[in-house]
Amino acid sequence: MVFLTVANWIRARGPDEFWRKRKIFRLAAHFTGRRRNCYSVAVRNVHRALAYATKARKLKKADMKALWDTRITAACEQHNLTAFSLREGLGRADIMLDRKSLSDLAAWEPKTFHCLAAVAKQKLNLDGFIDGTDKKEPTGINLNLKDVMLEAWLKEKK
């Protein structure tokens, strides 16, 4: 396309507008009706959808954190521990596991979680730690460290 005057060149809409609109229409491809086909309506709805997506990413992180805490708390109650005392005991035994790892072990590897709970409980007993967050003991399985051969390891770590 050849422009003979400056006025025609200024008024001509070049490829930039095409690609800008194409980007919006691609983001609006799954919408219905005018939200999909009309550019001025699509822009508003795409911006709103992107704002919701940004909020949802933060909410997803918070939801996953709550799910992991729930799983850890439920598994700890089965082993007569609170989640706080489990994390404290593991920290004192230099076992650094995050929430996600602990919740995965609680859900999919109950024997491994049982061993971790035994280690945490024994380490807290050796250190003389008293958990003030939960005054009563929940009903559940009493841990037996004779099944888990870690007594010497815990004593040497002290």
Side-chain angles (χ1 to χ4, degrees):
M1 180 186 267
V2 177
F3 298 112
L4 299 176
T5 64
V6 175
N8 286 340
W9 184 71
I10 291 173
R11 286 197 293 172
R13 293 181 177 165
D16 293 343
E17 183 183 12
F18 172 80
W19 293 111
R20 186 178 71 242
K21 285 184 177 182
R22 181 179 165 91
K23 184 167 48 172
I24 295 296
F25 283 134
R26 286 185 73 196
L27 289 170
H30 65 283
F31 295 163
T32 57
R34 289 181 68 210
R35 298 172 63 206
R36 173 187 182 142
N37 300 322
C38 182
Y39 179 72
S40 60
V41 177
V43 168
R44 286 191 303 248
N45 286 283
V46 164
H47 286 306
R48 186 181 305 130
L50 291 175
Y52 285 145
T54 303
K55 288 180 186 176
R57 283 193 298 274
K58 291 183 190 255
L59 290 173
K60 181 181 177 184
K61 290 176 182 70
D63 288 345
M64 292 307 295
K65 197 172 178 182
L67 173 69
W68 295 334
D69 285 340
T70 303
R71 284 182 179 173
I72 292 169
T73 303
C76 286
E77 285 181 1
Q78 291 177 346
H79 298 297
N80 286 339
L81 278 174
T82 61
F84 175 76
S85 56
L86 173 80
R87 293 185 63 92
E88 181 70 22
L90 291 178
R92 289 179 183 215
D94 292 331
I95 300 173
M96 301 298 165
L97 292 173
D98 59 350
R99 281 186 177 95
K100 183 180 180 184
S101 303
L102 283 174
S103 72
D104 286 343
L105 289 173
W108 305 109
E109 296 285 336
K111 290 185 179 182
T112 306
F113 191 84
H114 172 76
C115 294
L116 287 173
V119 167
K121 196 168 192 178
Q122 185 65 28
K123 185 62 176 174
L124 292 176
N125 287 340
L126 287 175
D127 290 351
F129 176 78
I130 299 171
D131 187 6
T133 59
D134 193 11
K135 301 295 183 190
K136 64 181 191 313
E137 286 285 324
T139 59
I141 304 166
N142 283 328
L143 298 177
N144 207 353
L145 260 188
K146 292 176 185 163
D147 300 335
V148 183
M149 299 296 185
L150 297 168
E151 293 172 357
W153 179 75
L154 286 170
K155 287 179 183 174
E156 76 181 31
K157 284 282 186 176
K158 188 176 181 183

